[in-house]
């Protein structure tokens, strides 16, 4: 178990945008479309003298280059350009830069949608004309007019990719798609103009391009969403800071004279004003007075933390109801939030190295098919067939081998699986997520907002005056009614749940880190921590032992005094979600070991774990320690899933083999995750595992069919047993088979093993001392 709730020192991680001569340099890469592009860019960068390694993130369109010595960024940019792509050194990683990237991705998706829509409509029209027009000669010209935009516009992506591959003396799936469509379209044009009456294959050319374009669009949409994790985190960083004094002066200035400056211009030692409700613009410490800060982005816990002079404050956390003065200690890539972003980015770069099976095999498949088509053409010429007959047979080979089924195998299964998942309350990112479910051994669960409801509630009512406690609770609810503090909301909700009417209150005064005092029902009411009540003269000895018991059970004690006399003690905790114990049992029934990992105290974590039936508990973990736990469990047990809902969970979600986010949580968590639980219940995780396993099986079946189909029919086409028309029909039949197999997922049912299945013993990693102070500050 881990302890400690102070902000971590920034570890020596690679910072985004580090300049030449540093350990790392980040580049933005443009023009990449598939995994083979990633490999080319990495090879090009690695060949530059002084580069140790290069890791390219296809989702984010970036490359992280490890340098052994100072390297001119221009040399790296030139190497990427020579490989056929574009590279620039990013100027910023803050919110405005994230918005620019998001706008560019949205514009590209819109262009793809328009081209795909046009291709679908025109391809359908070509098929109708090809098989329903009276005059063959007239039909040829009509088909040419309809198919030309499909070939030239919708097919631009494939033609450009094939040309770039050829320019660098290689091939890819674009090569086969472009060449197959070009040969079919080119021959059809010649036949229409010079050989009237001959069969044409405009429908083949149009359908090849349109069907494969569907898969390409799905891939682009998935990559755009994958890059949203870092953008969501970047948007937490405020763009403006209210500067009071520069580091040289060292003294806070007049808050009324604060000057607004860009947050990225802050330096260590600067004095900054943070107004109520604003995000803190840099890491630092409280320069004076007291404050209450919402640190849920780091800890995942809903209760704000009280701060005293010298306490650490983190970039992106949110100030409470009173202004505070920040003395800046870390800025830019050194802040805790930037470290979280770096962890997410690094984890996503690792995922891009898991290539899809079709992409890997295409490196061999495409050259083999091209050689087979060329050999077919040459063979028939040597056998005495005419050039047109030999060309038609070679076209049949290209057409029958065209990877429509191969290209559809994964995206259609993903569409069917994700569609069924949406009906079950699951949003699944894509094929790579489904692939990684295979072999899953462990599920790490966050506590607050994931295993629990994510909001404090009164779970114990302990009267100290011999009554039922309802009178004191109504008075406390009246005093707390105007407060937005989570503990105050819990007190008000507890009164309402018991049918009590809060007493009208006046002279309300909230004390940061202590509690609230008010006059309610003509009596002086004080509600807050025992330490605060003792400090204002209330005798709290009668409640000390009970408060200790509440703390040991993971509950926050809140005491209520009326006219200086202690009358009521409340135990407030974050209750488990309904069905959480059954959900944990279902995971065990699937052979998965549940582990609880939280930033909350050990007492609260242990209480929640025991109630849910989890024996492996890790408490008080900052974000980077959650990621480290994921890596430890992966080494010890194998592939790991992480379930969470907070910003502090984003690095672990990205680092896990499967990240599962609760939709009621933060956007950063959902963007970093592979699967999002729409309905928020942990029980749906088991459904996600079963559905992902079923979808993966279908993908494997589809890929097996697609390759087996080619192995069988390519020889038949080369032997002229299959003319191009029948080859096109066979190609369509292959695609229909793949689609039909994928649609079986729409009938997927959740067949979960019995909830009482036996689990596993805990294998929690040893760590430091396991005690922590219970409760949370007011």
């Amino acid at each position: 178990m881990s302890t400690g709730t102070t902000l971590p020192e920034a570890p020596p991680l690679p910072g985004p945008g580090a300049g030449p001569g540093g350990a790392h340099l980040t580049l933005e890469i443009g023009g990449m479309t598939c995994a083979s592009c990633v490999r080319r860019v990495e090879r090009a960068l690695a060949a530059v003298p002084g580069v140790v390694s290069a890791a390219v993130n296809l989702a984010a369109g970036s490359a992280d280059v490890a340098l052994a010595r100072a390297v001119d960024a221009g040399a790296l940019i030139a190497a990427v350009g020579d490989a056929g792509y574009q590279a620039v050194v990013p100027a910023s990683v803050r919110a405005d830069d994230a918005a620019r990237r998001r706008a560019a991705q949205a514009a590209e998706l819109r262009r793809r949608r328009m081209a795909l829509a046009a291709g679908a409509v025109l391809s359908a029209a070509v098929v109708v004309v090809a098989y329903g027009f009276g005059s063959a000669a007239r039909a040829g010209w009509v088909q040419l007019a309809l198919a030309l935009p499909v070939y030239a516009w919708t097919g631009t992506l494939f033609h450009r990719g094939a040309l770039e591959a050829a320019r660098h003396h290689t091939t890819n799936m674009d090569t086969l798609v472009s060449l197959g469509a070009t040969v079919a379209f080119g021959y059809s044009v010649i036949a229409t103009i010079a050989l009237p009456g001959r069969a044409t294959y405009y429908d083949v050319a149009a359908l090849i391009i349109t069907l494969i374009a569907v898969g390409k669009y799905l891939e682009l949409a998935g990559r755009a969403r994958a890059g949203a994790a870092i953008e969501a985190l970047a948007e937490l960083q405020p763009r403006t800071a209210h500067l009071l004094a520069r580091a040289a002066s060292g003294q806070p200035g007049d808050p009324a004279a604060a000057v607004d400056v860009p947050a990225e211009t802050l330096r260590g030692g600067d004095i900054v004003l943070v107004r109520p409700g604003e995000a803190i613009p840099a890491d630092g410490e409280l320069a004076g007075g007291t404050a209450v800060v919402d640190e849920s982005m780091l800890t995942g816990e809903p209760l704000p933390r009280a701060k005293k002079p010298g306490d650490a404050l983190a970039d992106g956390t949110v100030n409470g109801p009173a202004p505070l003065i920040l003395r800046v200690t870390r800025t830019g890539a050194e802040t805790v939030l930037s470290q979280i972003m770096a962890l997410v980015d690094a984890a996503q770069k690792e995922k891009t190295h898991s290539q899809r099976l079709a992409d890997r095999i295409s490196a061999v498949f495409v050259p083999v098919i091209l050689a087979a088509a060329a050999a077919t053409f040459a063979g028939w010429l040597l056998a005495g067939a005419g050039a047109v007959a030999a060309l038609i047979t070679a076209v049949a080979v290209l057409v029958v081998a065209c990877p429509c089924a191969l290209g559809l195998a994964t995206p259609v299964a993903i569409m069917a699986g994700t569609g069924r998942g949406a009906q079950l309350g699951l949003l699944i990112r894509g094929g790579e997520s489904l692939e990684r479910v295979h072999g899953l051994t462990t599920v790490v669960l966050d506590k607050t907002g994931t295993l629990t409801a994510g909001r404090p509630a009164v779970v114990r009512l302990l009267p100290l005056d011999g009554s039922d406690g309802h009178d004191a609770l109504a008075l406390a609810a009246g005093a707390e009614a105007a407060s937005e503090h989570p503990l105050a909301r819990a007190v008000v909700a507890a009164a309402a749940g018991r049918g009590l009417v809060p007493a009208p209150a006046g002279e309300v005064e909230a004390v940061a880190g202590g509690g609230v005092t008010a006059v309610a029902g003509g009596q002086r009411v004080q509600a807050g921590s025992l330490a605060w009540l003792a400090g204002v003269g209330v005798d709290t000895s009668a409640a000390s032992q009970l408060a200790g018991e509440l703390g040991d059970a993971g509950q926050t004690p809140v005491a209520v005094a009326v006219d200086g006399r202690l009358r009521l003690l409340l135990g407030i905790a974050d209750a488990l979600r309904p069905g959480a114990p059954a959900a944990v049992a279902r995971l065990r029934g699937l052979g998965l070991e549940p582990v609880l990992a939280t930033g909350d105290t050990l007492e609260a974590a242990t209480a929640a774990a025991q109630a849910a039936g989890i024996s492996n508990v890790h408490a008080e973990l900052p974000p980077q320690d959650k990621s480290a736990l994921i890596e430890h469990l992966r080494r010890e047990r194998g592939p790991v899933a992480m379930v969470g809902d907070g910003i502090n969970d984003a690095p672990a979600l990205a680092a896990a083999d499967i990240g599962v986010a609760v939709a009621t949580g933060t956007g950063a968590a959902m963007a970093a995750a592979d699967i999002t639980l729409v309905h928020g219940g942990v029980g749906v995780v088991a459904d996600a595992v079963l559905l992902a396993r079923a979808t993966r099986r279908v993908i494997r079946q589809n890929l097996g069919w697609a390759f087996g189909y080619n192995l069988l029919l390519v020889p038949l086409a080369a032997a002229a047993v299959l003319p191009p028309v029948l080859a096109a029909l066979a190609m369509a039949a292959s695609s229909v088979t793949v689609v039909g197999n994928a649609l079986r997922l729409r009938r997927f049912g959740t067949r979960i093993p019995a909830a009482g299945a036996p689990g596993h013993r805990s294998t929690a990693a040893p760590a430091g001392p396991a005690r922590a102070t219970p409760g949370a500050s007011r």
Side-chain angles (χ1 to χ4, degrees):
M1 299 184 187
S2 176
T3 63
T5 56
T6 58
L7 297 177
E9 289 297 321
L13 293 173
H24 287 261
L25 175 68
T26 297
L27 297 174
E28 286 186 359
I29 309 296
M32 296 188 298
T33 61
C34 64
S36 60
C37 298
V38 170
R39 292 195 296 273
R40 281 194 214 109
V41 174
E42 287 177 341
R43 284 198 299 266
L45 288 170
V48 177
V51 172
V52 176
S53 64
V56 173
N57 184 338
L58 180 62
S62 67
D64 184 65
V65 187
L67 306 174
R69 55 181 173 79
V71 175
D72 182 13
L76 299 174
I77 293 171
V80 174
D82 291 341
Y85 305 92
Q86 306 86 46
V88 296
V89 178
S92 170
V93 293
R94 301 185 74 85
D96 52 352
D97 198 48
R100 179 181 59 79
R101 287 196 302 269
R102 197 163 52 246
Q105 287 176 334
E108 178 62 19
L109 282 171
R110 283 195 300 272
R111 288 193 293 269
R112 294 279 187 93
R113 278 197 302 270
M114 291 176 60
L116 184 55
V121 172
L122 293 173
S123 296
V126 170
V127 172
V128 169
V129 173
Y131 297 100
F133 223 89
S135 167
R138 184 179 173 190
W141 288 102
V142 173
Q143 289 180 74
L144 172 58
L146 292 171
L148 181 59
V150 180
Y151 176 80
W153 182 22
T154 311
T156 297
L157 175 68
F158 305 111
H159 304 322
R160 186 186 300 123
L163 289 173
E164 286 294 336
R167 191 163 70 90
H168 296 93
H169 311 291
T170 186
T171 59
N172 56 20
M173 295 300 285
D174 290 341
T175 303
L176 202 53
V177 174
S178 178
L179 188 58
T182 297
V183 172
F185 184 80
Y187 169 77
S188 299
V189 171
I190 294 172
T192 299
I193 296 174
L195 304 169
R198 290 290 184 94
T200 59
Y201 307 103
Y202 292 111
D203 54 331
V204 173
L207 288 173
I208 287 172
I209 289 173
T210 301
L211 290 173
I212 305 301
V214 172
K216 285 286 189 180
Y217 176 80
L218 293 174
E219 290 177 5
L220 179 64
R223 293 201 302 271
R225 185 182 172 194
I230 298 173
E231 294 172 6
L233 290 169
E235 289 179 348
L236 295 173
Q237 297 175 307
R239 304 185 192 188
T240 303
H242 312 303
L243 183 67
L244 293 176
R246 283 295 181 186
S249 69
Q251 296 296 324
D254 181 3
V259 177
D260 287 352
V261 299
E264 59 263 30
T265 64
L266 293 177
R267 297 294 178 265
D270 287 352
I271 306 298
V272 176
L273 169 68
V274 183
R275 295 181 176 130
E278 289 186 338
I280 293 172
D283 283 4
E285 60 185 27
L286 188 62
T290 60
V292 177
V293 178
D294 179 359
E295 293 184 337
S296 58
M297 61 157 280
L298 291 178
T299 65
E301 307 312 311
L303 300 178
R305 299 288 181 91
K307 299 290 183 178
K308 60 183 183 300
D311 281 354
L313 302 172
D315 182 19
T317 57
V318 180
N319 185 26
L324 65 81
I325 305 299
L326 170 75
R327 178 177 286 107
V328 175
T329 58
R330 292 196 295 257
T331 61
E334 297 179 351
T335 67
V336 171
L337 181 57
S338 292
Q339 295 297 315
I340 294 175
M341 293 168 61
L343 288 169
V344 174
D345 187 44
Q348 289 188 341
K349 284 174 182 172
E350 290 181 2
K351 288 183 181 180
T352 63
H353 290 274
S354 175
Q355 307 293 341
R356 288 186 181 179
L357 181 60
D359 290 324
R360 293 197 300 266
I361 295 180
S362 68
V364 176
F365 177 73
V366 174
V368 167
I369 294 302
L370 293 177
T376 298
F377 179 73
W380 280 102
L381 281 180
L382 293 175
V388 172
L391 180 62
I392 290 174
T393 307
V395 168
V397 172
L398 287 172
V399 169
V400 82
C402 188
C404 287
L406 182 62
L408 289 171
T410 296
V412 173
I414 291 169
M415 289 178 67
T418 53
R420 179 57 180 155
Q423 295 174 342
L424 298 174
L426 302 166
L427 296 179
I428 303 172
R429 175 174 291 176
E432 290 185 4
S433 304
L434 297 166
E435 288 284 338
R436 287 192 297 272
V437 169
H438 179 65
L440 204 62
T441 62
T442 307
V443 177
V444 178
L445 299 165
D446 175 48
K447 182 182 77 70
T448 305
T450 301
L451 197 64
T452 65
R455 57 183 179 275
V458 174
V459 295
R460 294 283 299 278
L461 190 71
L462 302 173
L464 303 172
D465 58 359
S467 70
D468 60 7
H470 286 187
D471 287 344
L473 180 59
L475 292 171
E480 301 276 26
S483 174
E484 293 299 325
H485 193 284
L487 294 181
R489 297 290 89 204
V491 172
V492 174
R498 290 165 174 78
L500 304 177
V501 178
E507 301 180 28
V508 178
E509 180 182 355
V511 178
V516 64
T517 180
V519 175
Q523 304 174 84
R524 194 71 178 174
V525 180
Q526 295 163 304
S529 68
L530 283 175
W532 173 68
L533 286 173
V536 296
V538 177
D539 181 6
T540 61
S541 58
S544 297
Q545 183 177 350
L546 289 174
E549 293 173 0
L550 293 177
D552 290 340
Q555 300 170 23
T556 299
V558 172
V560 180
V562 180
D563 288 336
R565 177 170 167 249
L566 200 62
R567 292 185 54 185
L568 179 65
L569 188 64
L570 303 172
I572 300 181
D574 187 8
L576 288 180
R577 286 182 180 270
V584 170
R586 292 174 71 193
L587 293 174
R588 290 188 185 277
L590 290 173
L592 304 173
E593 170 70 8
V595 175
L596 182 64
T598 177
D600 205 351
T601 63
L602 175 63
E603 290 81 2
T606 301
Q610 289 176 346
I614 299 174
S615 57
N616 193 340
V617 181
H618 298 260
E620 302 172 39
L621 299 177
Q624 66 270 33
D625 284 0
K626 284 191 177 183
S627 293
L629 173 64
I630 295 294
E631 296 297 336
H632 169 79
L633 292 172
R634 181 185 289 117
R635 289 192 301 270
E636 293 291 318
R637 301 182 55 85
V640 179
M642 169 70 194
V643 187
D645 74 318
I647 294 168
N648 64 309
D649 298 319
L653 289 168
D657 298 275
I658 291 292
V660 184
V662 179
T664 53
T666 64
M670 287 186 281
D674 302 288
I675 299 172
T676 298
L677 308 182
V678 175
H679 302 312
V682 179
V684 191
V685 175
D687 299 345
V689 171
L690 287 174
L691 177 60
R693 289 176 178 176
T695 306
R696 182 181 180 275
R697 284 196 300 271
V698 169
I699 291 173
R700 296 284 176 163
Q701 292 166 359
N702 283 352
L703 290 174
W705 163 256
F707 287 115
Y709 153 89
N710 279 286
L711 290 175
L712 175 65
L713 295 187
V714 167
L716 295 180
V721 174
L722 278 178
V725 171
L726 291 182
L729 291 175
M731 179 198 69
S734 175
S735 298
V736 169
T737 301
V738 165
V739 171
N741 188 46
L743 291 180
R744 292 189 302 115
L745 289 169
R746 295 169 62 183
R747 301 190 298 274
F748 171 83
T750 54
R751 298 177 291 278
I752 311 291
H760 307 280
R761 291 184 60 82
S762 171
T763 57
R771 294 295 299 170
T773 302
S777 300
R778 283 274 294 200

